[in-house]
Amino acid sequence: MSILGLITLVLHGTLAGMYYSFSMSVIPGLKAIDADAADVAMRSMNRKILTPWLFVPFFGAPILALISGFFAEGSSALWFFAAAAVSLVGSLIVTVIVNVPLNNSLDSTRIGFAEFHPRWNTFNIVRAVSSVASLVLVGVGLTG
Protein backbone atom coordinates (compact mmCIF):
# COMPACT_ATOMS: atom_id res chain seq x y z
CA MET A 1 0.00 0.00 0.00
CA SER A 2 1.53 3.28 -1.09
CA ILE A 3 1.42 6.68 0.57
CA LEU A 4 0.13 8.10 -2.72
CA GLY A 5 -2.72 5.57 -2.69
CA LEU A 6 -3.60 6.41 0.90
CA ILE A 7 -3.65 10.13 0.15
CA THR A 8 -5.88 9.39 -2.84
CA LEU A 9 -8.22 7.43 -0.56
CA VAL A 10 -8.37 10.27 1.97
CA LEU A 11 -9.13 12.88 -0.70
CA HIS A 12 -11.99 10.79 -2.09
CA GLY A 13 -13.32 10.23 1.43
CA THR A 14 -13.17 13.95 2.13
CA LEU A 15 -15.27 14.74 -0.93
CA ALA A 16 -17.75 11.96 -0.21
CA GLY A 17 -18.22 13.22 3.34
CA MET A 18 -18.62 16.82 2.27
CA TYR A 19 -21.22 16.09 -0.39
CA TYR A 20 -23.05 13.69 1.92
CA SER A 21 -23.19 16.18 4.78
CA PHE A 22 -24.57 18.92 2.52
CA SER A 23 -27.36 16.68 1.23
CA MET A 24 -28.20 15.10 4.56
CA SER A 25 -27.96 18.09 6.91
CA VAL A 26 -27.13 21.46 5.39
CA ILE A 27 -29.81 21.59 2.71
CA PRO A 28 -32.56 20.09 4.92
CA GLY A 29 -31.57 22.53 7.67
CA LEU A 30 -31.81 25.48 5.30
CA LYS A 31 -35.17 24.25 3.97
CA ALA A 32 -36.48 24.36 7.54
CA ILE A 33 -35.82 28.07 8.03
CA ASP A 34 -37.11 31.28 6.49
CA ALA A 35 -36.41 31.44 2.73
CA ASP A 36 -34.63 34.82 2.98
CA ALA A 37 -32.37 33.48 5.74
CA ALA A 38 -31.67 30.35 3.68
CA ASP A 39 -30.70 32.52 0.69
CA VAL A 40 -28.25 34.51 2.79
CA ALA A 41 -26.81 31.44 4.52
CA MET A 42 -26.31 29.44 1.31
CA ARG A 43 -24.72 32.39 -0.48
CA SER A 44 -22.35 32.77 2.45
CA MET A 45 -21.46 29.07 2.43
CA ASN A 46 -20.89 29.13 -1.33
CA ARG A 47 -18.42 31.97 -0.91
CA LYS A 48 -16.64 30.67 2.20
CA ILE A 49 -16.14 27.14 0.86
CA LEU A 50 -13.85 28.41 -1.91
CA THR A 51 -10.55 27.71 -0.11
CA PRO A 52 -7.61 25.36 -0.58
CA TRP A 53 -9.38 23.01 1.87
CA LEU A 54 -11.93 22.44 -0.90
CA PHE A 55 -9.69 22.72 -3.95
CA VAL A 56 -7.09 20.17 -2.80
CA PRO A 57 -9.54 17.26 -2.58
CA PHE A 58 -11.76 18.54 -5.41
CA PHE A 59 -8.97 18.61 -7.98
CA GLY A 60 -6.55 16.30 -6.19
CA ALA A 61 -8.84 13.26 -5.92
CA PRO A 62 -9.18 12.54 -9.65
CA ILE A 63 -5.62 13.63 -10.43
CA LEU A 64 -4.04 11.46 -7.72
CA ALA A 65 -6.27 8.51 -8.68
CA LEU A 66 -4.96 8.81 -12.23
CA ILE A 67 -1.35 9.11 -11.06
CA SER A 68 -1.85 6.18 -8.67
CA GLY A 69 -3.08 4.14 -11.61
CA PHE A 70 0.14 4.78 -13.50
CA PHE A 71 2.19 3.61 -10.52
CA ALA A 72 -0.02 0.64 -9.61
CA GLU A 73 0.70 -2.88 -10.70
CA GLY A 74 -1.62 -5.35 -12.36
CA SER A 75 -5.36 -4.99 -12.01
CA SER A 76 -4.95 -2.36 -9.28
CA ALA A 77 -4.18 0.17 -12.00
CA LEU A 78 -7.60 -0.36 -13.57
CA TRP A 79 -9.34 0.30 -10.25
CA PHE A 80 -7.46 3.58 -9.82
CA PHE A 81 -8.21 4.61 -13.41
CA ALA A 82 -11.88 3.81 -12.86
CA ALA A 83 -11.85 5.90 -9.67
CA ALA A 84 -10.30 8.80 -11.57
CA ALA A 85 -12.95 8.59 -14.29
CA VAL A 86 -15.89 8.37 -11.87
CA SER A 87 -14.50 11.24 -9.79
CA LEU A 88 -13.85 13.37 -12.85
CA VAL A 89 -17.32 12.89 -14.31
CA GLY A 90 -19.44 12.49 -11.18
CA SER A 91 -17.81 15.14 -9.02
CA LEU A 92 -15.76 17.62 -11.01
CA ILE A 93 -17.76 17.84 -14.25
CA VAL A 94 -21.15 17.78 -12.49
CA THR A 95 -19.94 20.58 -10.21
CA VAL A 96 -18.73 22.73 -13.10
CA ILE A 97 -21.77 22.14 -15.32
CA VAL A 98 -24.59 22.16 -12.75
CA ASN A 99 -23.75 23.15 -9.18
CA VAL A 100 -21.47 26.14 -9.79
CA PRO A 101 -23.88 27.81 -12.26
CA LEU A 102 -26.68 27.31 -9.72
CA ASN A 103 -24.44 28.80 -7.00
CA ASN A 104 -23.76 31.77 -9.27
CA SER A 105 -27.47 32.24 -9.97
CA LEU A 106 -28.22 32.20 -6.26
CA ASP A 107 -25.35 34.57 -5.53
CA SER A 108 -26.56 37.06 -8.13
CA THR A 109 -30.12 36.73 -6.75
CA ARG A 110 -31.46 35.58 -10.14
CA ILE A 111 -33.00 32.69 -8.21
CA GLY A 112 -33.88 32.15 -4.58
CA PHE A 113 -33.16 29.20 -2.34
CA ALA A 114 -36.60 27.65 -3.02
CA GLU A 115 -35.78 27.45 -6.74
CA PHE A 116 -32.13 26.62 -6.12
CA HIS A 117 -32.18 23.70 -3.72
CA PRO A 118 -34.16 20.97 -5.55
CA ARG A 119 -31.87 20.81 -8.60
CA TRP A 120 -28.70 21.65 -6.65
CA ASN A 121 -29.33 18.93 -4.08
CA THR A 122 -30.25 16.33 -6.72
CA PHE A 123 -26.91 16.85 -8.40
CA ASN A 124 -25.14 17.07 -5.06
CA ILE A 125 -26.45 13.56 -4.36
CA VAL A 126 -24.97 12.51 -7.72
CA ARG A 127 -21.66 13.95 -6.53
CA ALA A 128 -21.95 12.15 -3.18
CA VAL A 129 -22.74 8.78 -4.77
CA SER A 130 -19.95 9.25 -7.32
CA SER A 131 -17.48 10.16 -4.60
CA VAL A 132 -18.43 7.12 -2.51
CA ALA A 133 -18.07 4.95 -5.62
CA SER A 134 -14.66 6.48 -6.31
CA LEU A 135 -13.68 5.91 -2.69
CA VAL A 136 -14.61 2.24 -2.99
CA LEU A 137 -12.72 1.92 -6.29
CA VAL A 138 -9.58 3.42 -4.72
CA GLY A 139 -9.98 1.06 -1.76
CA VAL A 140 -10.19 -1.94 -4.06
CA GLY A 141 -7.16 -0.66 -5.96
CA LEU A 142 -5.23 -0.46 -2.71
CA THR A 143 -6.07 -4.03 -1.76
CA GLY A 144 -5.17 -5.50 -5.16
Side-chain angles (χ1 to χ4, degrees):
M1 200 176 297
S2 72
I3 295 296
L4 179 62
L6 286 174
I7 294 169
T8 303
L9 186 74
V10 168
L11 293 180
H12 281 86
T14 301
L15 284 178
M18 179 187 65
Y19 295 141
Y20 175 83
S21 66
F22 261 86
S23 286
M24 297 303 133
S25 62
V26 173
I27 297 299
L30 292 175
K31 285 171 43 179
I33 64 173
D34 175 73
D36 291 336
D39 285 351
V40 170
M42 192 68 194
R43 282 197 294 280
S44 179
M45 282 184 266
N46 285 339
R47 290 180 194 132
K48 295 297 182 183
I49 200 168
L50 299 176
T51 70
W53 294 110
L54 169 67
F55 294 132
V56 168
F58 182 72
F59 292 109
I63 291 169
L64 287 184
L66 183 64
I67 293 168
S68 294
F70 286 119
F71 285 107
E73 297 178 6
S75 64
S76 290
L78 295 175
W79 294 106
F80 283 110
F81 291 142
V86 170
S87 182
L88 177 69
V89 173
S91 175
L92 201 141
I93 290 176
V94 167
T95 299
V96 170
I97 291 175
V98 179
N99 294 87
V100 167
L102 284 169
N103 291 347
N104 293 340
S105 291
L106 182 70
D107 193 50
S108 68
T109 66
R110 287 191 305 262
I111 62 173
F113 185 75
E115 299 166 76
F116 166 88
H117 80 78
R119 186 162 190 242
W120 189 94
N121 201 45
T122 297
F123 281 93
N124 191 63
I125 292 168
V126 169
R127 298 187 302 176
V129 169
S130 297
S131 294
V132 169
S134 298
L135 176 68
V136 169
L137 292 167
V138 169
V140 172
L142 285 171
T143 62

